[in-house]
Amino acid sequence: FGSSHLPKTALPYSQSLTSFIPAMAQVALDERMAQQLQQAEMGHAGPIVQGRPINGGAPIALGAVAPPTAVIAVADIPPEELLVLNYRVGLMCFSTIDIITTVLNAISAWGTRNWWGLAVLVFLIGPISGLIGARLLNPTLVGVYVVFCALKAGFQITFAAISLFLWPILLALIQIWITKIVGTFWMTLRRISPERRAILVDMKEVPVRMVYW
């Protein structure tokens, strides 16, 4: 049979069949998506891949290993050594202020002809020892400063309890806080070996390592 003997309805039927197959495939795909949505609403869905942008980049799948979004530099030394380095500058500042205030008290005593007031110069031993000890990280000298801080704190507490004025009470609280800082520095410094203390004295910058978050 030649093509001229085909019925006239054969060509339209083949065209309708050709357009029908993609339509059925689309319907099947839509039905599958509807089933997935229904299962997701009922809580029986399998793993559904979702994305979230990272720094404006391409989305990544939830549950996958995401690239680091932040880099932080942290100190690469033990906590005891870091505490000593952090308190070292503060201790030198406290010692310097203590030296200045003690000298001013002595000058005031000299101006008022209060010769017994010059005995306050004895308390210069403590802050001078603390200043040198903090600079050289010498626990013995820092220990001397701890003793003098404790004596000064006891004196100010006694004076504040007798006078019951606000200013002596505030000075007593400040001296207690300074004594606590100096004591913590001293106890921590004693736990560090002499070799490491010598390295810390000459250390200009704290070594750091990069941590990725």
Side-chain angles (χ1 to χ4, degrees):
F1 297 93
S3 59
S4 59
H5 299 283
L6 290 175
K8 294 182 180 181
T9 59
L11 186 58
Y13 177 79
S14 62
Q15 292 178 351
S16 62
L17 183 62
T18 303
S19 59
F20 178 76
I21 293 176
M24 289 296 296
Q26 184 64 35
V27 171
L29 181 60
D30 294 340
E31 184 178 358
R32 182 181 302 175
M33 292 179 63
Q35 292 177 355
Q36 290 181 355
L37 291 175
Q38 185 178 5
Q39 291 177 356
E41 292 177 356
M42 298 177 62
H44 301 291
I48 299 177
V49 178
Q50 297 179 354
R52 58 184 179 89
I54 299 296
N55 295 331
I60 62 172
L62 291 178
V65 178
T69 59
V71 182
I72 301 177
V74 296
D76 195 17
I77 58 176
E80 295 82 6
E81 298 180 3
L82 183 61
L83 185 143
V84 166
L85 292 178
N86 290 336
Y87 279 20
R88 183 187 183 189
V89 177
L91 190 62
M92 289 190 291
C93 292
F94 294 152
S95 303
T96 304
I97 295 174
D98 208 351
I99 291 173
I100 295 174
T101 55
T102 303
V103 171
L104 291 177
N105 289 331
I107 294 175
S108 176
W110 176 271
T112 58
R113 303 297 181 177
N114 183 7
W115 307 117
W116 287 104
L118 293 178
V120 74
L121 292 175
V122 176
F123 288 95
L124 284 176
I125 299 175
I128 291 176
S129 299
L131 180 62
I132 300 175
R135 186 181 299 274
L136 301 179
L137 296 182
N138 188 309
T140 302
L141 294 177
V142 176
V144 174
Y145 189 36
V146 172
V147 174
F148 274 82
C149 285
L151 292 176
K152 189 175 180 179
F155 170 77
Q156 290 188 345
I157 290 173
T158 303
F159 182 71
I162 295 174
S163 64
L164 295 178
F165 289 120
L166 178 61
W167 184 247
I169 293 175
L170 292 178
L171 290 178
L173 293 176
I174 293 174
Q175 186 60 39
I176 292 173
W177 177 72
I178 293 176
T179 305
K180 176 183 179 299
I181 296 296
V182 177
T184 303
F185 179 85
W186 173 66
M187 289 187 295
T188 307
L189 188 61
R190 292 180 58 192
R191 294 198 294 264
I192 301 176
S193 64
E195 294 78 11
R196 288 298 301 173
R197 290 201 299 264
I199 294 175
L200 294 177
V201 168
D202 299 328
M203 184 178 293
K204 303 300 181 182
E205 296 181 356
V206 178
V208 298
R209 57 187 176 89
M210 310 308 293
V211 177
Y212 299 91
W213 296 87

